Protein backbone atom coordinates (compact mmCIF):
# COMPACT_ATOMS: atom_id res chain seq x y z
CA UNK A 1 0.00 0.00 0.00
CA UNK A 2 2.83 2.38 0.91
CA UNK A 3 4.57 1.61 -2.37
CA UNK A 4 1.35 2.31 -4.30
CA UNK A 5 0.92 5.66 -2.53
CA UNK A 6 4.50 6.65 -3.32
CA UNK A 7 4.09 5.63 -6.95
CA UNK A 8 0.83 7.57 -7.27
CA UNK A 9 2.48 10.61 -5.72
CA UNK A 10 5.35 10.42 -8.20
CA UNK A 11 2.91 10.11 -11.11
CA UNK A 12 0.98 13.18 -9.94
CA UNK A 13 4.22 15.11 -9.53
CA UNK A 14 5.34 14.16 -13.03
CA UNK A 15 1.96 15.15 -14.46
CA UNK A 16 2.14 18.49 -12.65
CA UNK A 17 5.63 19.21 -13.99
CA UNK A 18 4.47 18.22 -17.47
CA UNK A 19 1.51 20.61 -17.27
CA UNK A 20 3.71 23.48 -16.13
CA UNK A 21 6.29 22.85 -18.84
CA UNK A 22 3.58 22.66 -21.49
CA UNK A 23 1.98 25.87 -20.25
CA UNK A 24 5.33 27.67 -20.12
CA UNK A 25 6.14 26.63 -23.69
CA UNK A 26 2.71 27.77 -24.85
CA UNK A 27 3.06 31.19 -23.19
CA UNK A 28 6.57 31.75 -24.55
CA UNK A 29 5.54 30.64 -28.04
CA UNK A 30 2.56 32.98 -28.10
CA UNK A 31 4.50 35.88 -26.56
CA UNK A 32 7.03 35.58 -29.39
CA UNK A 33 4.24 36.09 -31.95
CA UNK A 34 4.01 39.82 -31.34
CA UNK A 35 2.65 40.45 -34.83
CA UNK A 36 -0.39 38.34 -33.96
CA UNK A 37 -1.62 39.81 -30.69
CA UNK A 38 -0.12 43.22 -31.43
CA UNK A 39 -2.18 43.46 -34.61
CA UNK A 40 -5.28 42.35 -32.71
CA UNK A 41 -4.65 45.08 -30.14
CA UNK A 42 -4.37 47.71 -32.87
CA UNK A 43 -7.61 46.44 -34.41
CA UNK A 44 -9.32 46.72 -31.02
CA UNK A 45 -8.31 50.36 -30.71
CA UNK A 46 -9.19 51.23 -34.30
CA UNK A 47 -12.63 49.60 -34.01
CA UNK A 48 -13.33 51.22 -30.65
CA UNK A 49 -12.57 54.70 -31.99
CA UNK A 50 -13.83 54.23 -35.53
CA UNK A 51 -15.04 57.45 -37.22
CA UNK A 52 -13.42 59.67 -34.59
CA UNK A 53 -10.86 62.30 -35.52
CA UNK A 54 -8.22 61.83 -32.80
CA UNK A 55 -9.08 58.27 -31.72
CA UNK A 56 -7.62 57.12 -28.36
CA UNK A 57 -6.26 60.61 -27.73
CA UNK A 58 -9.74 61.34 -26.35
CA UNK A 59 -8.77 59.23 -23.32
CA UNK A 60 -5.50 61.16 -23.06
CA UNK A 61 -7.31 64.50 -23.17
CA UNK A 62 -9.72 63.34 -20.46
CA UNK A 63 -6.84 62.16 -18.29
CA UNK A 64 -4.97 65.42 -18.90
CA UNK A 65 -8.02 67.41 -17.78
CA UNK A 66 -8.29 65.26 -14.66
CA UNK A 67 -4.61 65.76 -13.85
CA UNK A 68 -4.83 69.53 -14.34
CA UNK A 69 -8.00 70.01 -12.26
CA UNK A 70 -7.46 67.47 -9.48
CA UNK A 71 -3.73 68.19 -9.28
CA UNK A 72 -4.33 71.91 -8.87
CA UNK A 73 -6.92 71.37 -6.15
CA UNK A 74 -4.86 68.86 -4.16
CA UNK A 75 -1.73 70.97 -4.43
CA UNK A 76 -3.68 73.80 -2.83
CA UNK A 77 -5.17 71.52 -0.16
CA UNK A 78 -1.79 70.05 0.74
CA UNK A 79 -0.21 73.52 0.55
CA UNK A 80 2.48 72.34 -1.87
CA UNK A 81 4.11 74.07 -4.77
CA UNK A 82 2.23 73.01 -7.88
CA UNK A 83 5.46 72.67 -9.88
CA UNK A 84 6.72 70.03 -7.44
CA UNK A 85 3.36 68.31 -6.85
CA UNK A 86 1.91 68.04 -10.35
CA UNK A 87 4.64 65.99 -12.16
CA UNK A 88 4.70 63.11 -9.60
CA UNK A 89 0.90 63.16 -9.44
CA UNK A 90 0.57 63.12 -13.24
CA UNK A 91 3.04 60.26 -13.80
CA UNK A 92 1.61 58.33 -10.86
CA UNK A 93 -1.95 58.64 -12.16
CA UNK A 94 -0.88 57.59 -15.67
CA UNK A 95 0.86 54.47 -14.36
CA UNK A 96 -2.02 53.71 -11.99
CA UNK A 97 -4.48 53.98 -14.87
CA UNK A 98 -2.51 51.27 -16.68
CA UNK A 99 -2.48 49.07 -13.57
CA UNK A 100 -6.16 49.47 -12.75
CA UNK A 101 -7.40 49.14 -16.33
CA UNK A 102 -5.31 46.04 -17.01
CA UNK A 103 -6.39 44.24 -13.84
CA UNK A 104 -10.06 45.18 -14.28
CA UNK A 105 -10.12 44.07 -17.90
CA UNK A 106 -7.99 41.05 -17.05
CA UNK A 107 -10.56 39.85 -14.53
CA UNK A 108 -13.21 39.73 -17.26
CA UNK A 109 -10.99 38.88 -20.23
CA UNK A 110 -12.13 35.27 -20.62
CA UNK A 111 -15.78 36.08 -19.92
CA UNK A 112 -15.81 38.88 -22.52
CA UNK A 113 -13.94 36.71 -25.04
CA UNK A 114 -16.11 33.66 -24.34
CA UNK A 115 -17.63 33.55 -27.82
CA UNK A 116 -14.14 33.52 -29.40
CA UNK A 117 -12.79 30.97 -26.94
CA UNK A 118 -15.62 28.58 -27.80
CA UNK A 119 -15.40 29.15 -31.55
CA UNK A 120 -11.67 29.59 -32.28
CA UNK A 121 -9.11 27.01 -31.09
CA UNK A 122 -6.50 29.53 -29.89
CA UNK A 123 -4.48 29.49 -26.64
CA UNK A 124 -6.12 31.50 -23.87
CA UNK A 125 -2.96 33.52 -23.29
CA UNK A 126 -3.48 35.24 -26.65
CA UNK A 127 -6.51 37.09 -25.27
CA UNK A 128 -4.52 38.26 -22.24
CA UNK A 129 -1.56 39.43 -24.35
CA UNK A 130 -3.91 41.26 -26.71
CA UNK A 131 -5.56 43.07 -23.81
CA UNK A 132 -2.23 44.06 -22.24
CA UNK A 133 -0.87 45.25 -25.60
CA UNK A 134 -3.95 47.43 -26.09
CA UNK A 135 -3.52 49.06 -22.70
CA UNK A 136 0.21 49.57 -23.25
CA UNK A 137 -0.53 51.38 -26.52
CA UNK A 138 -2.96 53.67 -24.70
CA UNK A 139 -0.33 54.16 -21.97
CA UNK A 140 2.14 55.32 -24.63
CA UNK A 141 -0.43 57.87 -25.78
CA UNK A 142 -0.72 59.07 -22.18
CA UNK A 143 3.03 59.73 -22.06
CA UNK A 144 2.33 62.77 -24.24
CA UNK A 145 1.02 64.36 -21.04
CA UNK A 146 4.40 63.83 -19.39
CA UNK A 147 6.17 65.43 -22.36
CA UNK A 148 3.89 68.47 -22.30
CA UNK A 149 4.23 68.73 -18.53
CA UNK A 150 8.02 68.72 -18.86
CA UNK A 151 7.80 71.62 -21.29
CA UNK A 152 5.73 73.65 -18.82
CA UNK A 153 7.39 72.49 -15.58
CA UNK A 154 10.82 71.13 -16.60
CA UNK A 155 12.85 68.80 -14.41
CA UNK A 156 16.41 67.51 -15.00
CA UNK A 157 16.89 64.88 -17.69
CA UNK A 158 19.37 62.20 -16.67
CA UNK A 159 20.45 58.85 -18.06
CA UNK A 160 18.80 57.18 -15.07
CA UNK A 161 15.48 57.83 -16.81
CA UNK A 162 16.26 54.68 -18.82
CA UNK A 163 15.70 52.67 -15.63
CA UNK A 164 12.00 53.20 -16.26
CA UNK A 165 12.25 50.49 -18.95
CA UNK A 166 13.23 47.59 -16.64
CA UNK A 167 10.79 48.95 -14.05
CA UNK A 168 8.05 48.90 -16.68
CA UNK A 169 9.04 45.34 -17.65
CA UNK A 170 8.65 44.21 -14.01
CA UNK A 171 5.27 45.93 -13.86
CA UNK A 172 4.11 44.14 -17.01
CA UNK A 173 5.18 40.77 -15.58
CA UNK A 174 3.06 41.42 -12.49
CA UNK A 175 0.11 42.56 -14.60
CA UNK A 176 0.39 39.51 -16.88
CA UNK A 177 0.42 37.07 -13.98
CA UNK A 178 -2.33 38.96 -12.18
CA UNK A 179 -4.53 39.13 -15.29
CA UNK A 180 -4.21 35.37 -15.85
CA UNK A 181 -5.10 34.52 -12.25
CA UNK A 182 -7.99 36.98 -12.06
CA UNK A 183 -9.26 35.92 -15.48
CA UNK A 184 -9.40 32.27 -14.47
CA UNK A 185 -11.00 33.06 -11.10
CA UNK A 186 -13.62 35.31 -12.69
CA UNK A 187 -14.45 32.68 -15.30
CA UNK A 188 -15.27 30.32 -12.43
CA UNK A 189 -16.69 32.87 -9.97
CA UNK A 190 -18.25 35.90 -11.69
CA UNK A 191 -18.28 37.99 -8.51
CA UNK A 192 -14.51 38.35 -8.77
CA UNK A 193 -14.85 41.07 -11.43
CA UNK A 194 -16.88 43.34 -9.16
CA UNK A 195 -14.58 42.59 -6.24
CA UNK A 196 -11.54 43.64 -8.28
CA UNK A 197 -13.15 46.98 -9.21
CA UNK A 198 -14.04 47.72 -5.58
CA UNK A 199 -10.67 46.53 -4.31
CA UNK A 200 -8.69 48.69 -6.73
CA UNK A 201 -10.70 51.76 -5.74
CA UNK A 202 -9.75 51.08 -2.13
CA UNK A 203 -6.09 50.38 -2.93
CA UNK A 204 -5.86 53.59 -4.97
CA UNK A 205 -6.19 55.68 -1.80
CA UNK A 206 -3.55 53.55 -0.05
CA UNK A 207 -1.08 54.11 -2.90
CA UNK A 208 0.95 57.35 -3.09
CA UNK A 209 -0.69 58.80 -6.17
CA UNK A 210 -2.55 61.82 -4.81
CA UNK A 211 -0.35 61.91 -1.70
CA UNK A 212 3.42 61.58 -1.43
CA UNK A 213 5.59 59.17 0.52
CA UNK A 214 7.31 62.10 2.24
CA UNK A 215 4.00 63.16 3.77
CA UNK A 216 3.70 59.89 5.76
CA UNK A 217 7.39 59.25 6.43
CA UNK A 218 8.00 59.12 10.17
CA UNK A 219 4.29 58.67 10.93
CA UNK A 220 2.18 55.69 11.94
CA UNK A 221 1.13 55.26 8.29
CA UNK A 222 4.66 54.87 6.92
CA UNK A 223 4.16 51.10 6.69
CA UNK A 224 1.72 51.66 3.80
CA UNK A 225 4.60 52.45 1.46
CA UNK A 226 6.23 49.06 2.11
CA UNK A 227 3.40 46.55 2.45
CA UNK A 228 1.61 47.87 -0.64
CA UNK A 229 3.23 46.22 -3.70
CA UNK A 230 1.68 48.81 -6.01
CA UNK A 231 3.73 51.51 -4.32
CA UNK A 232 6.95 49.74 -5.27
CA UNK A 233 5.84 48.98 -8.83
CA UNK A 234 4.61 52.54 -9.27
CA UNK A 235 7.88 54.06 -8.08
CA UNK A 236 10.01 51.81 -10.31
CA UNK A 237 8.43 53.58 -13.28
CA UNK A 238 7.61 57.01 -11.86
CA UNK A 239 10.87 57.90 -10.14
CA UNK A 240 13.14 57.20 -13.14
CA UNK A 241 10.82 59.21 -15.42
CA UNK A 242 11.15 62.14 -13.02
CA UNK A 243 14.95 61.65 -12.73
CA UNK A 244 14.57 60.72 -9.06
CA UNK A 245 16.75 58.04 -7.41
CA UNK A 246 15.28 54.61 -6.67
CA UNK A 247 16.28 52.47 -3.72
CA UNK A 248 17.92 49.09 -4.21
CA UNK A 249 15.29 47.66 -1.85
CA UNK A 250 12.56 48.74 -4.24
CA UNK A 251 14.25 46.91 -7.11
CA UNK A 252 14.62 43.74 -5.05
CA UNK A 253 10.97 43.93 -4.03
CA UNK A 254 9.91 44.60 -7.62
CA UNK A 255 11.83 41.54 -8.85
CA UNK A 256 10.31 39.43 -6.07
CA UNK A 257 6.79 40.60 -6.95
CA UNK A 258 7.36 39.90 -10.65
CA UNK A 259 8.71 36.39 -10.02
CA UNK A 260 5.89 35.60 -7.60
CA UNK A 261 3.24 36.84 -10.03
CA UNK A 262 4.83 34.89 -12.89
CA UNK A 263 4.98 31.69 -10.84
CA UNK A 264 1.40 31.96 -9.57
CA UNK A 265 0.09 32.91 -13.00
CA UNK A 266 1.93 30.04 -14.67
CA UNK A 267 0.68 27.52 -12.11
CA UNK A 268 -2.90 28.75 -12.45
CA UNK A 269 -2.72 28.75 -16.25
CA UNK A 270 -1.20 25.27 -16.36
CA UNK A 271 -3.83 23.78 -14.08
CA UNK A 272 -7.01 25.45 -15.29
CA UNK A 273 -6.56 26.61 -18.89
CA UNK A 274 -8.37 23.56 -20.27
CA UNK A 275 -11.36 24.10 -17.96
CA UNK A 276 -12.06 27.77 -18.73
CA UNK A 277 -14.10 27.01 -21.86
CA UNK A 278 -16.44 24.81 -19.81
CA UNK A 279 -16.99 27.59 -17.26
CA UNK A 280 -18.04 30.18 -19.85
Amino acid sequence: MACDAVAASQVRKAEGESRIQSAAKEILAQAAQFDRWGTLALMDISLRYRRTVIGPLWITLTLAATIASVGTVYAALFKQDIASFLPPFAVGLIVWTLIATTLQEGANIFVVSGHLIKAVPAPLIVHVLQMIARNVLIFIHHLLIVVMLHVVMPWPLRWTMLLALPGFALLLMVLLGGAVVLGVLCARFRDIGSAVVSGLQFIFFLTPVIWTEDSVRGTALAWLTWVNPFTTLLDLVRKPLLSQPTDAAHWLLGIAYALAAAAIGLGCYARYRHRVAYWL
Side-chain angles (χ1 to χ4, degrees):
M1 295 293 293
C3 293
D4 293 340
V6 172
S9 176
Q10 292 176 346
V11 170
R12 287 195 297 270
K13 182 178 179 181
E15 290 178 350
E17 292 177 352
S18 177
R19 285 199 302 265
I20 292 176
Q21 291 175 357
S22 174
K25 290 179 180 178
E26 181 175 292
I27 292 174
L28 292 175
Q30 296 302 318
Q33 297 182 12
F34 174 79
D35 56 334
R36 182 182 184 182
W37 44 271
T39 302
L40 291 174
L42 287 172
M43 289 177 59
D44 275 351
I45 295 176
S46 61
L47 289 174
R48 183 177 299 183
Y49 297 98
R50 183 175 53 184
R51 297 185 181 179
T52 60
V53 177
I54 60 176
L57 287 177
W58 278 115
I59 306 178
T60 303
L61 291 176
T62 303
L63 186 59
T66 302
I67 290 171
S69 58
V70 176
T72 302
V73 171
Y74 274 91
L77 290 175
F78 295 150
K79 298 180 180 180
Q80 295 191 17
D81 179 39
I82 191 170
S84 60
F85 177 82
L86 202 56
F89 170 68
V91 178
L93 189 59
I94 290 171
V95 178
W96 176 260
T97 300
L98 172 66
I99 294 173
T101 304
T102 302
L103 292 180
Q104 288 174 11
E105 293 185 2
N108 295 291
I109 186 61
F110 299 138
V111 176
V112 173
S113 305
H115 60 291
L116 290 175
I117 293 174
K118 296 176 182 179
V120 181
L124 293 180
I125 197 64
V126 173
H127 303 284
V128 181
L129 292 172
Q130 174 187 349
M131 179 270 299
I132 292 179
R134 181 178 66 246
N135 288 317
V136 168
L137 289 173
I138 295 174
F139 171 80
I140 293 173
H141 282 97
H142 292 344
L143 291 180
L144 293 174
I145 301 174
V146 181
V147 175
M148 291 186 294
L149 198 59
H150 181 268
V151 173
V152 178
M153 304 174 181
W155 58 85
L157 300 179
R158 300 189 178 96
W159 69 267
T160 53
M161 295 180 71
L162 296 175
L163 292 175
L165 295 176
F168 189 67
L170 293 176
L171 175 61
L172 289 183
M173 285 185 63
V174 172
L175 293 179
L176 177 61
V180 169
V181 173
L182 292 175
V184 171
L185 287 175
C186 190
R188 184 65 180 87
F189 308 101
R190 302 301 168 86
D191 293 336
I192 297 296
S194 300
V196 170
V197 174
S198 301
L200 287 172
Q201 290 176 351
F202 174 73
I203 294 173
F204 171 77
F205 293 103
L206 301 180
T207 306
V209 178
I210 59 178
W211 51 274
T212 62
E213 297 178 54
D214 293 334
S215 62
V216 298
R217 187 170 288 120
T219 67
L221 297 177
W223 58 273
L224 286 176
T225 61
W226 287 102
V227 301
N228 184 357
F230 294 105
T231 299
T232 299
L233 298 169
L234 188 72
D235 281 344
L236 290 181
V237 180
R238 175 170 58 181
K239 286 188 174 181
L241 286 178
L242 297 173
S243 297
Q244 297 176 355
T246 53
D247 298 332
H250 280 82
W251 286 104
L252 293 176
L253 281 173
I255 293 171
Y257 293 145
L259 292 177
I264 296 173
L266 176 60
C268 186
Y269 187 76
R271 184 174 180 82
Y272 299 110
R273 72 185 191 276
H274 297 302
R275 303 184 188 181
V276 170
Y278 298 99
W279 294 338
L280 299 177

